[in-house]
Structure formats: structure tokens, C-alpha cells
Amino acid sequence: MPVFRDSKQFYETVGELMDRAKKDPNIGPKIAKSGLVIQFRYTEPEAQTTINARTKPTQAGAFVDVHHGATSLKPDVVMTMKADISHAFWHGKVNLLGAIAKRDIVLDGPLPKILKLLPAVEPLYKIYPALLREKGFADLVMK
């Protein structure tokens, strides 16, 4: 059984995590430095999030723009995975290289550029479980 009951719940949690990252002064500027458009495509449930670090952000207080759902942006990198894999990743339970090797995450784009972003997003491993609790989804927090 999937972790998230539907796309709405996924966007309430993982989507909110991305929205917080774009405004976080310790995370957002590091993602912005990449200059990449990174798209995450999810299944079970279906969802899509695109981070645009190629241009100046249009969203107030953000270092990058984050778009949920379909967008006309052409991504430099596409990462496709089940939503459950994303959930485990944001708990710090998924090794990115191992997941790519096992095809749990399908990567289309430059792996070295994605690996350079890992230190920037590591603070999200602490934010995500707290966000789940805050949203009333404490039962989704992984031990």
C-alpha cells in the first residue's frame, strides 16, 4: 500500500517541503547556484514538481521557483520515482546512487550536477519528519 493516499496528500507534504526549501537561506541559494531546471515525476500517486534555478525567482521570498503539476519548462534533469521512494529519501533512508543503480529512481540528465546538490538538501532530512508531524501525518514518520 502506498504511503500517500492521493496526490493532494503528497503535495501537502513533499510539495510543502520543496516550497520551504526554496525560501530557506541555507538551502535555496545553493540550489539556485546550480542553474538547473530539475523535474521530479512521481507515481503512486501521480505528481510532478519542477524546480527552476535557471532564472531569477518570480515567487516572493524565494531563491528558486517551484512549480507543482504540469509546466512548460524544459528540464535539464528529470528524476522519476514512486512517491514512496521520495518519502524514504527525505527521511535520509535512500542512498541516491544505490537507488539509481537499482532503477528505483530513473535519472535523465547529468548525475554529477545532481550529486553536487546533495549537501544542499541534507538539512531537509530533519525538516521533513517535523513537517509531517506539523501537518498531522505523524504516522508517516519513519523510524
Side-chain angles (χ1 to χ4, degrees), residues 31-32 34-38 51-54 76-77 110 113-114 117:
I31 296 170
S34 75
L36 295 172
V37 174
I38 306 164
I51 299 170
N52 183 1
R54 192 180 295 146
D76 300 303
V77 177
K113 289 185 178 185
I114 291 301
L117 285 175

Side-chain angles (χ1 to χ4, degrees), residues 88-119:
F89 178 82
W90 293 118
H91 276 94
K93 307 279 186 194
V94 173
N95 175 287
L96 181 61
L97 287 175
I100 291 169
K102 292 189 308 185
R103 308 282 295 162
D104 288 336
I105 297 175
V106 178
L107 176 69
D108 180 14
L111 178 61
K113 289 185 178 185
I114 291 301
L115 292 178
K116 284 183 181 178
L117 285 175
L118 281 178

Side-chain angles (χ1 to χ4, degrees), residues 52-127:
N52 183 1
R54 192 180 295 146
T55 62
K56 284 189 172 187
T58 59
Q59 300 165 357
F63 295 97
V64 296
D65 284 333
V66 175
H67 305 272
H68 301 295
T71 179
S72 61
L73 289 169
K74 180 168 174 31
D76 300 303
V77 177
V78 177
M79 298 176 76
T80 305
M81 69 197 84
K82 288 183 179 178
D84 289 3
I85 295 294
S86 175
H87 174 71
F89 178 82
W90 293 118
H91 276 94
K93 307 279 186 194
V94 173
N95 175 287
L96 181 61
L97 287 175
I100 291 169
K102 292 189 308 185
R103 308 282 295 162
D104 288 336
I105 297 175
V106 178
L107 176 69
D108 180 14
L111 178 61
K113 289 185 178 185
I114 291 301
L115 292 178
K116 284 183 181 178
L117 285 175
L118 281 178
V121 300
E122 280 183 6
L124 294 174
Y125 297 164
K126 291 181 181 169
I127 295 170

